[in-house]
Amino acid sequence: MTANTNLDAFAKGTERLVDPTTVGSIHFLQQFFDVVPKGIQRAIMMRSTKKAPHMGFIVEPYAFFLAYEIADTTAAAELLPSGFRLAKCSVFAGDEPAFYAIMSFFRMHTSAFWGSRAELYVMAEDESTGLMSWVIVDYLSDTISYDRAFGLRGPSTSRAVVTTTSDGRVLVDMASDDGASSADFSVALNGSKMRELDERMWIEGNLSVAYGRTLSHDRADTFSLTFFPEEMGSALDVPLEGFEPKGISWYSHVLAPAPAKLVCFPYAQHLLSDSPGAASGHASAADLVRAAEAADFDAMKTFKVGSAKKPVAVSAVAALGIAAAAWMIGRRFRA
């Protein structure tokens, strides 16, 4: 097979955007964000986004997806932010469309965080653009994350296993620290076959990613991933017979009892993600290819901790000062 120089350059470029030292510094900084009001956090993030509108986002091999048909469409629709509606789609090319909710489990390294993550999406259509959209209604992670509702937050789970075994299985064991959500299963890859994925779901849908009603405070500004379509062109269609669930409790009142499709990407996916508040606005596969080909990784800047240190420190000191004053006043009144 002849090497695709565009794919090679894009893969190397996104990898170069990931600096482990910077990622570690952002993790350290997040501890101080906890005492900073969410509005100030957003202002700091938006300021950083203007300087660094993209980040390298690499999904490591064997990312796994459970595609569930939606059993309660009314409940699923309530998870969507305003301006989105449930829409049928197909997982693999040529399959019968259905209303889907998707669970994904993967390890990633990015310009801002590094670790394991699980996401629950409801597949929907953006009413303003007509684009299929992956709407993130919930997620679990053992690393830092950012959304409008929680701001820059710490890990939501200390149990976050996403790995493979020497006998050819994918092994997942994730549970939120509050006990509300969990997924524990293994699945054999024997008998899996590479199949073409449905373009509208996997290509178009990743041009329009949004957070659900709760995570976005019902203000779902969409963002895009930038990549060559080959990154989402095909994946393993994994036989359902090899799926061995030990326990999955995650919006079970919305979903069918068992997944309808199992999807696995046996290769790394190299992507550029819009930073919080940025929107590339890709509207088609042609836009996507042009953006991927035009990516100038040598000139591209990523988030630097130094630019956020001062405003975070000032905000944290102010917040702690206000909290201390409130405590002293309360103590005086109690006395």
Short mmCIF file of all heavy atoms in Angstrom, two decimals, residues 294-328:
data_model
loop_
_atom_site.label_atom_id
_atom_site.label_comp_id
_atom_site.label_asym_id
_atom_site.label_seq_id
_atom_site.Cartn_x
_atom_site.Cartn_y
_atom_site.Cartn_z
N ALA A 294 -4.96 22.40 4.66
CA ALA A 294 -4.42 23.74 4.91
C ALA A 294 -3.80 23.89 6.29
O ALA A 294 -3.20 24.92 6.60
CB ALA A 294 -5.52 24.78 4.73
N ALA A 295 -3.94 22.88 7.14
CA ALA A 295 -3.42 22.98 8.51
C ALA A 295 -1.92 23.24 8.51
O ALA A 295 -1.15 22.48 7.94
CB ALA A 295 -3.74 21.71 9.28
N ASP A 296 -1.52 24.34 9.14
CA ASP A 296 -0.11 24.71 9.23
C ASP A 296 0.36 24.44 10.65
O ASP A 296 0.27 25.30 11.53
CB ASP A 296 0.07 26.18 8.86
CG ASP A 296 1.53 26.61 8.82
OD1 ASP A 296 2.40 25.80 9.20
OD2 ASP A 296 1.79 27.76 8.41
N PHE A 297 0.86 23.27 10.89
CA PHE A 297 1.23 22.87 12.25
C PHE A 297 2.45 23.61 12.77
O PHE A 297 2.60 23.79 13.98
CB PHE A 297 1.46 21.35 12.30
CG PHE A 297 0.21 20.55 12.11
CD1 PHE A 297 -0.08 19.97 10.89
CD2 PHE A 297 -0.69 20.39 13.14
CE1 PHE A 297 -1.24 19.23 10.70
CE2 PHE A 297 -1.86 19.65 12.97
CZ PHE A 297 -2.13 19.07 11.74
N ASP A 298 3.30 24.07 11.88
CA ASP A 298 4.47 24.82 12.33
C ASP A 298 4.08 26.17 12.91
O ASP A 298 4.76 26.68 13.82
CB ASP A 298 5.44 25.02 11.17
CG ASP A 298 6.09 23.71 10.71
OD1 ASP A 298 6.28 22.83 11.57
OD2 ASP A 298 6.38 23.58 9.51
N ALA A 299 3.00 26.75 12.40
CA ALA A 299 2.56 28.06 12.88
C ALA A 299 1.50 27.95 13.97
O ALA A 299 1.17 28.95 14.62
CB ALA A 299 2.00 28.88 11.72
N MET A 300 0.97 26.75 14.17
CA MET A 300 -0.16 26.58 15.10
C MET A 300 0.30 26.69 16.55
O MET A 300 1.32 26.12 16.94
CB MET A 300 -0.80 25.21 14.84
CG MET A 300 -2.24 25.11 15.31
SD MET A 300 -2.98 23.54 14.74
CE MET A 300 -3.10 23.86 12.97
N LYS A 301 -0.46 27.44 17.34
CA LYS A 301 -0.16 27.60 18.75
C LYS A 301 -1.15 26.80 19.58
O LYS A 301 -2.32 26.67 19.20
CB LYS A 301 -0.23 29.08 19.15
CG LYS A 301 0.82 29.95 18.48
CD LYS A 301 0.70 31.40 18.95
CE LYS A 301 1.76 32.27 18.29
NZ LYS A 301 1.65 33.69 18.71
N THR A 302 -0.69 26.28 20.69
CA THR A 302 -1.57 25.57 21.61
C THR A 302 -1.57 26.30 22.95
O THR A 302 -0.76 27.20 23.19
CB THR A 302 -1.12 24.12 21.83
OG1 THR A 302 0.25 24.10 22.28
CG2 THR A 302 -1.21 23.33 20.53
N PHE A 303 -2.48 25.91 23.81
CA PHE A 303 -2.64 26.56 25.11
C PHE A 303 -1.35 26.52 25.91
O PHE A 303 -0.70 25.48 26.02
CB PHE A 303 -3.75 25.86 25.89
CG PHE A 303 -3.99 26.42 27.27
CD1 PHE A 303 -4.72 27.59 27.43
CD2 PHE A 303 -3.50 25.79 28.40
CE1 PHE A 303 -4.95 28.11 28.69
CE2 PHE A 303 -3.72 26.30 29.66
CZ PHE A 303 -4.45 27.47 29.81
N LYS A 304 -0.98 27.67 26.47
CA LYS A 304 0.19 27.77 27.33
C LYS A 304 -0.23 28.14 28.74
O LYS A 304 -1.01 29.08 28.93
CB LYS A 304 1.17 28.82 26.79
CG LYS A 304 1.74 28.48 25.40
CD LYS A 304 2.54 27.19 25.42
CE LYS A 304 3.11 26.88 24.03
NZ LYS A 304 3.80 25.56 24.00
N VAL A 305 0.28 27.42 29.70
CA VAL A 305 -0.11 27.64 31.09
C VAL A 305 0.27 29.03 31.57
O VAL A 305 -0.47 29.67 32.33
CB VAL A 305 0.53 26.56 32.00
CG1 VAL A 305 0.29 26.89 33.47
CG2 VAL A 305 -0.05 25.20 31.67
N GLY A 306 1.39 29.54 31.11
CA GLY A 306 1.87 30.84 31.58
C GLY A 306 0.86 31.95 31.40
O GLY A 306 0.71 32.83 32.25
N SER A 307 0.11 31.93 30.30
CA SER A 307 -0.86 32.99 30.01
C SER A 307 -2.04 32.96 30.96
O SER A 307 -2.76 33.96 31.09
CB SER A 307 -1.34 32.86 28.56
OG SER A 307 -2.04 31.65 28.37
N ALA A 308 -2.28 31.84 31.63
CA ALA A 308 -3.43 31.72 32.52
C ALA A 308 -3.05 31.82 34.00
O ALA A 308 -3.94 31.97 34.85
CB ALA A 308 -4.14 30.40 32.27
N LYS A 309 -1.77 31.75 34.30
CA LYS A 309 -1.36 31.71 35.71
C LYS A 309 -1.82 32.94 36.48
O LYS A 309 -2.41 32.83 37.56
CB LYS A 309 0.16 31.58 35.80
CG LYS A 309 0.69 30.17 35.60
CD LYS A 309 2.20 30.17 35.77
CE LYS A 309 2.75 28.75 35.60
NZ LYS A 309 4.23 28.72 35.73
N LYS A 310 -1.55 34.13 35.93
CA LYS A 310 -1.86 35.35 36.68
C LYS A 310 -3.34 35.53 36.91
O LYS A 310 -3.77 35.74 38.06
CB LYS A 310 -1.27 36.56 35.96
CG LYS A 310 -1.44 37.86 36.75
CD LYS A 310 -0.76 39.02 36.05
CE LYS A 310 -0.96 40.31 36.85
NZ LYS A 310 -0.27 41.46 36.20
N PRO A 311 -4.21 35.47 35.86
CA PRO A 311 -5.64 35.65 36.13
C PRO A 311 -6.21 34.58 37.05
O PRO A 311 -7.11 34.87 37.85
CB PRO A 311 -6.29 35.59 34.74
CG PRO A 311 -5.27 35.00 33.83
CD PRO A 311 -3.95 35.36 34.42
N VAL A 312 -5.72 33.35 36.95
CA VAL A 312 -6.21 32.30 37.85
C VAL A 312 -5.79 32.60 39.29
O VAL A 312 -6.59 32.48 40.22
CB VAL A 312 -5.68 30.91 37.42
CG1 VAL A 312 -5.97 29.88 38.50
CG2 VAL A 312 -6.32 30.49 36.12
N ALA A 313 -4.53 33.01 39.47
CA ALA A 313 -4.04 33.30 40.81
C ALA A 313 -4.82 34.45 41.44
O ALA A 313 -5.24 34.38 42.60
CB ALA A 313 -2.56 33.63 40.75
N VAL A 314 -5.03 35.53 40.68
CA VAL A 314 -5.76 36.68 41.20
C VAL A 314 -7.19 36.29 41.55
O VAL A 314 -7.70 36.63 42.63
CB VAL A 314 -5.76 37.82 40.16
CG1 VAL A 314 -6.71 38.94 40.60
CG2 VAL A 314 -4.35 38.37 39.98
N SER A 315 -7.85 35.55 40.66
CA SER A 315 -9.24 35.13 40.90
C SER A 315 -9.33 34.19 42.09
O SER A 315 -10.26 34.28 42.90
CB SER A 315 -9.81 34.46 39.65
OG SER A 315 -9.79 35.33 38.56
N ALA A 316 -8.37 33.28 42.21
CA ALA A 316 -8.39 32.32 43.33
C ALA A 316 -8.20 33.04 44.66
O ALA A 316 -8.91 32.77 45.63
CB ALA A 316 -7.30 31.27 43.12
N VAL A 317 -7.26 33.99 44.69
CA VAL A 317 -7.03 34.74 45.93
C VAL A 317 -8.27 35.53 46.31
O VAL A 317 -8.69 35.57 47.47
CB VAL A 317 -5.81 35.66 45.77
CG1 VAL A 317 -5.72 36.63 46.95
CG2 VAL A 317 -4.53 34.84 45.69
N ALA A 318 -8.90 36.18 45.31
CA ALA A 318 -10.11 36.96 45.58
C ALA A 318 -11.23 36.07 46.10
O ALA A 318 -11.92 36.41 47.06
CB ALA A 318 -10.54 37.68 44.31
N ALA A 319 -11.41 34.89 45.45
CA ALA A 319 -12.47 33.98 45.87
C ALA A 319 -12.23 33.47 47.28
O ALA A 319 -13.16 33.39 48.10
CB ALA A 319 -12.57 32.82 44.88
N LEU A 320 -10.99 33.14 47.59
CA LEU A 320 -10.67 32.66 48.93
C LEU A 320 -10.83 33.77 49.95
O LEU A 320 -11.28 33.53 51.08
CB LEU A 320 -9.24 32.11 48.95
CG LEU A 320 -9.02 30.79 48.21
CD1 LEU A 320 -7.53 30.46 48.14
CD2 LEU A 320 -9.77 29.66 48.89
N GLY A 321 -10.49 35.00 49.56
CA GLY A 321 -10.67 36.13 50.47
C GLY A 321 -12.12 36.37 50.80
O GLY A 321 -12.49 36.61 51.95
N ILE A 322 -12.98 36.28 49.79
CA ILE A 322 -14.41 36.45 50.01
C ILE A 322 -14.95 35.34 50.91
O ILE A 322 -15.75 35.57 51.82
CB ILE A 322 -15.16 36.47 48.66
CG1 ILE A 322 -14.79 37.74 47.87
CG2 ILE A 322 -16.67 36.41 48.88
CD1 ILE A 322 -15.29 37.73 46.45
N ALA A 323 -14.50 34.11 50.64
CA ALA A 323 -14.95 32.97 51.46
C ALA A 323 -14.51 33.14 52.91
O ALA A 323 -15.27 32.87 53.84
CB ALA A 323 -14.40 31.67 50.88
N ALA A 324 -13.26 33.62 53.11
CA ALA A 324 -12.75 33.82 54.47
C ALA A 324 -13.54 34.91 55.19
O ALA A 324 -13.87 34.79 56.38
CB ALA A 324 -11.27 34.18 54.41
N ALA A 325 -13.85 35.99 54.46
CA ALA A 325 -14.61 37.07 55.06
C ALA A 325 -16.01 36.60 55.46
O ALA A 325 -16.52 36.93 56.55
CB ALA A 325 -14.71 38.24 54.09
N ALA A 326 -16.64 35.81 54.58
CA ALA A 326 -17.97 35.28 54.88
C ALA A 326 -17.93 34.37 56.11
O ALA A 326 -18.84 34.40 56.96
CB ALA A 326 -18.51 34.52 53.67
N TRP A 327 -16.87 33.58 56.21
CA TRP A 327 -16.73 32.69 57.37
C TRP A 327 -16.57 33.49 58.65
O TRP A 327 -17.18 33.19 59.68
CB TRP A 327 -15.53 31.78 57.17
CG TRP A 327 -15.29 30.82 58.31
CD1 TRP A 327 -15.95 29.65 58.56
CD2 TRP A 327 -14.34 30.99 59.38
NE1 TRP A 327 -15.46 29.07 59.70
CE2 TRP A 327 -14.48 29.86 60.22
CE3 TRP A 327 -13.39 31.96 59.68
CZ2 TRP A 327 -13.71 29.70 61.36
CZ3 TRP A 327 -12.62 31.80 60.82
CH2 TRP A 327 -12.77 30.68 61.64
N MET A 328 -15.77 34.57 58.61
CA MET A 328 -15.55 35.40 59.79
C MET A 328 -16.84 36.10 60.22
O MET A 328 -17.16 36.17 61.41
CB MET A 328 -14.47 36.43 59.49
CG MET A 328 -13.07 35.84 59.34
SD MET A 328 -12.44 35.10 60.87
CE MET A 328 -12.25 36.55 61.89
#
